[in-house]
Amino acid sequence: MGLLPRSLALKAEGLASLLPGKGRRLSVLIFHRVVPEPDPMNPDEIDAARFDRLLAMLGREFHVLPMAEALSRRAAGTLPARAVAITFDDGYADNFTVACPILRRHGMEATFFVASGFLDGGLMWNDAVIETMRQYGGATLDLGWLDMGECATQAIAQRQILAEALLMKLKYLDLDGRQAALARLVAQTGSRLPDDLMMSSAQLRGLRDAGMEIGGHTVSHPILAVLDEDEARSQMARDRARLAELLGRPPRFFAYPNGRPDKDYTAVHARLAQELGYEAAFTTSHGSVGSESGLYELPRFTPWDHNLRKFSLRLLRNYLNVDAPQLASARA
């Protein structure tokens, strides 16, 4: 027997037909990394064994579609029951080395939204914090200069908790302040930051050659809403041009960094995505894609559950959610 009771699946599909935006719907999953083994410094990231089990379940209980096919069938009204598409954000190397072989083994394709400025040796600021704490070997760390006091760091669980606190602390600094704080933290801990956490250009082309879709995600993953329009356009346009140069054709789809409407992106950025030639753009608002969904505000769903049955039920609830948060201007 599958993880998803057949009667529940049929009931969900029947209920969906009664809701606004009626008809069969698409759930789009978001991943970031697939780590080889469970990582205590990244406890929310899925590991290879869990990812393999999750894909096996999706193959049994859902219809997993390539993004272009899913959106084409959504427009034509021919989506299959319980349709799902898979996406990854940012451009981590393990997307190619770990996730891609598992996807291929299950006969599935995914879309990888890549921040091109981190290719070939780059590192996102949040990962710099995590990797610094991973390497630190002292029993305590004096972070009085961040108003965090003397912090216990002997156990890896303590370093993981401290990394989370540092992420929240640095997230709200301006770019220059964040970079200065990171530089001081690295110097204080004597850490050597990795240069292979993100994909290389060759690995990106390897994903393409494996049949995966590559999408845009800006050059350096800024919060678009805090940039002026010219800066936002530059981030989006240069990323698209760089990916086109590397892959031989421009990407078709875009994902907004962080992806919350009105907080992380605005109507300006939805317009820019369209003007730059993207066919669709994705948010991080929970909900499923239906006929009512705007092409430049397509919602996605984060599969954080460890238990596959709970994941299945939560994904079905997402399937029934036709009220994904969207821009205030779109709601008016």
Side-chain angles (χ1 to χ4, degrees):
M1 179 181 293
L3 289 169
L4 188 63
R6 181 62 177 163
S7 60
L8 182 59
L10 291 172
K11 183 179 291 186
E13 291 161 25
L15 287 171
S17 70
L18 302 176
L19 294 171
K22 64 184 179 179
R24 287 179 171 171
R25 307 181 64 80
L26 170 70
S27 284
V28 182
L29 307 185
I30 314 172
F31 297 92
H32 289 84
R33 303 188 62 186
V34 179
V35 294
E37 302 289 342
D39 180 2
M41 288 300 297
N42 284 293
D44 293 330
E45 298 293 1
I46 193 167
D47 63 82
R50 279 180 56 208
F51 188 61
D52 186 55
R53 291 194 296 271
L54 187 146
L55 292 192
M57 181 276 291
L58 289 175
R60 289 192 304 268
E61 312 291 355
F62 297 86
H63 288 87
V64 182
L65 302 174
M67 187 63 72
E69 179 184 348
L71 294 184
S72 176
R73 294 184 68 173
R74 172 254 192 183
T78 60
L79 278 173
R82 303 186 305 281
V84 168
I86 298 171
T87 68
F88 284 79
D89 282 7
D90 301 336
Y92 288 95
D94 55 48
N95 292 179
F96 175 72
T97 59
V98 181
C100 183
I102 299 173
L103 285 161
R104 294 192 71 184
R105 186 161 65 246
H106 288 276
M108 297 176 183
E109 297 176 19
T111 298
F112 294 81
F113 295 109
V114 175
S116 58
F118 299 113
L119 293 170
D120 300 310
L123 188 67
M124 299 179 72
W125 76 268
N126 53 302
D127 292 310
V129 170
I130 292 168
E131 296 307 313
T132 296
M133 288 297 94
R134 186 195 302 279
Q135 295 178 34
Y136 184 61
T140 62
L141 184 63
D142 183 3
L143 294 176
W145 56 277
L146 279 172
D147 297 323
M148 296 175 68
E150 189 87 6
C151 303
T153 55
Q154 188 164 15
I156 193 167
Q158 293 172 320
R159 298 198 298 276
Q160 191 274 326
I161 291 170
L162 179 55
E164 290 292 332
L166 281 165
L167 291 174
M168 292 303 298
K169 190 77 173 181
L170 300 187
K171 183 177 183 178
Y172 295 101
L173 299 179
D174 60 34
L175 182 59
D176 290 341
R178 184 192 298 160
Q179 289 301 113
L182 278 174
R184 182 167 178 176
L185 183 65
V186 170
Q188 183 179 359
T189 58
S191 302
R192 296 187 62 183
L193 296 178
D195 60 5
D196 59 354
L197 203 60
M198 311 305 286
M199 275 190 285
S200 66
S201 296
Q203 289 172 326
L204 183 69
R205 287 189 287 266
L207 279 181
R208 175 204 60 192
D209 294 344
M212 304 299 162
E213 184 88 33
I214 309 300
H217 201 41
T218 73
V219 174
S220 58
H221 202 279
I223 303 301
L224 290 169
V226 306
L227 306 180
D228 65 36
E229 183 172 342
D230 287 342
E231 290 176 309
R233 179 186 291 274
S234 175
Q235 279 279 338
M236 295 169 70
R238 288 189 293 120
D239 179 58
R240 192 164 193 260
R242 178 59 176 154
L243 293 176
E245 177 186 4
L246 290 170
L247 300 171
R249 71 174 189 181
R252 295 184 283 185
F253 309 122
F254 179 77
Y256 304 104
N258 278 36
R260 296 169 301 173
D262 294 310
K263 295 180 180 179
D264 301 321
Y265 74 95
T266 70
V268 168
H269 311 109
R271 172 175 56 79
L272 287 174
Q274 186 171 11
E275 289 177 358
L276 290 170
Y278 284 109
E279 298 175 16
F282 293 82
T283 74
T284 59
S285 295
H286 283 191
S288 57
V289 176
S291 59
E292 81 291 348
S293 304
L295 270 177
Y296 295 90
E297 281 196 277
L298 297 174
R300 295 188 290 168
F301 169 84
T302 304
W304 48 259
D305 309 81
H306 285 252
N307 180 284
L308 285 179
R309 181 179 289 273
K310 289 182 180 179
F311 165 81
S312 300
L313 295 174
R314 200 164 65 90
L315 184 53
L316 277 177
R317 287 197 296 272
N318 187 74
Y319 179 83
L320 296 173
N321 180 4
V322 302
D323 295 315
Q326 57 183 346
L327 293 168
S329 58
R331 296 192 297 269

